[in-house]
Amino acid sequence: MEASSSRSGGLPSKRRSGGCGRGSGYGLTGQPLNDDTLRSIFSRLDDHFDLAHCSAVCKSWNTIISTGHLMRGLYYKRNPQARGSSSTISMRSYFEALAMNEHASTLARGSAEVHQWIGHDVRATLCRMKSGSVLTGMGDKVLRLWSAESCKYMNEYNVPNSKMLVDFDFDENKIVGLTSSQVCIWKRSGPRSIFQSRGDTFNHGLCMSYADPEVVIGCEDGRAFVYDMYSRSCSSIHRLHPSPVTCLAITDDQLIVGGSTFGNVAIADQTSGQRLGLLKSAFAPTVIRCLSFNANSHLIFAGSSSGYAHCWDLRTLRPLWETRVSPNVIYGAHHLPGDTSTLVVGGIDGVLRLVCQRTGGTIRSFIMDAGYPAQSSSRPQAEQKNVGSAESGPRQQVEKKRVREIAPDARLDNIRKHLRPPITGLSVGMKKIVTTHGENYIRVWKFRL
């Protein structure tokens, strides 16, 4: 073995400078190149994503790329006007723009596949995706957390006192759930920590929007309650509509945006309590089912019960476009934070649609292609023990299935309904979309160029 290794250039028995040996988790390598040679090779790469991929290979490569400031060098190569000038271009905004362009291009032109698994005992009607994690629930009184990339089970959180959740959201540290009369909060990790709102401040809560440290709750009587999670008390109440509040969004400058059963969207200032405007549709009043706010473009998107997607400019409070993208109810309209190109909508007709944020035109439409069997399956193990249960998590089988693109004007009555089950919830991540369908399975749609 030693002679063979010597003739082939030598396999190191331990990790050396510039290599990716046993300590990196990638196994043994050939004779490693020294740091200067690797730095010279990396400096010839002309794509930031290639550099990022190389930096993720092993610790030594990451160190060479970061200490050599190769990302910054490529940035200045692409933007020479930024070197030694007072240019407003920043590396951070530049890399964010690169990521958003990659995401939008992949959704607009890339291929897609679906990863599907049974995630709940009864059903899942709502989903959220953030920072590579997916949260699903509302059906079996259990919220479950999954990895968006591997689809692995990560944790679960039980709803207290057998109450039914009506909405939920999460961030890196907390999970916030809403029942009809209480707010519940769980820690993402560590021992279970649940507290509930004090007193009967609100009744018949229908929806919520969460931005730490506050959660805004929309109620059946048309009011919105701003709830401080640290004091566990209501800090303010706003009258948004004379009819039930069906969906909510919070802007970065503390504005509350709320849809109603009358088809209007109200804008209120959380600080002063003043209602600043009422956004209306040019069409017959329909229920606003979902809302999404884009902080980069200051646009408000909504989906309605009549299949219309709506867009208003928050700065002028005027509509930009209203397009009927579906013949039936739209239950979800969402976009990746920072993306100003693509809005994803889905609803009762079961078609996943990508819509242009600027014009409202449909870019692409998808259903799952049942003509192809599952290409592969796996049984991921739980990544950690779940909260509040002695079990190690659900036993999964993840199936990978093909996706079928259909024409924007395709006759849906010619497509069998089992190929397009209703989309009851959707959320968008980087080159991924997660959907729930009112059944016990979860789907992650992955796009790639």
Side-chain angles (χ1 to χ4, degrees), residues 365-379:
S365 301
F366 299 97
I367 60 173
M368 195 179 73
D369 194 342
Y372 292 87
Q375 295 178 345
S376 64
S377 63
S378 59
R379 291 182 178 275

Side-chain angles (χ1 to χ4, degrees), residues 99-157:
M100 291 303 106
N101 289 338
E102 177 81 0
H103 168 77
S105 298
T106 304
L107 262 59
R109 301 193 301 270
S111 60
E113 62 186 19
V114 168
H115 293 246
Q116 177 178 297
W117 70 95
I118 293 176
H120 291 264
D121 294 334
V122 181
R123 57 193 172 94
T125 58
L126 194 61
C127 55
R128 300 281 187 258
M129 177 161 50
K130 292 181 180 178
S131 304
S133 298
V134 173
L135 187 66
T136 60
M138 293 176 61
D140 55 5
K141 302 179 183 179
V142 173
L143 294 172
R144 283 185 172 148
L145 193 68
W146 317 86
S147 165
E149 182 60 36
S150 66
C151 304
K152 286 183 178 180
Y153 166 89
M154 297 170 64
N155 222 328
E156 75 178 35
Y157 310 86

Side-chain angles (χ1 to χ4, degrees), residues 66-83:
S66 59
T67 57
H69 305 293
L70 299 183
M71 284 285 193
R72 183 182 302 172
L74 182 53
Y75 166 72
Y76 285 134
K77 182 180 178 181
R78 295 270 189 94
N79 301 272
Q81 73 278 10
R83 188 189 295 272

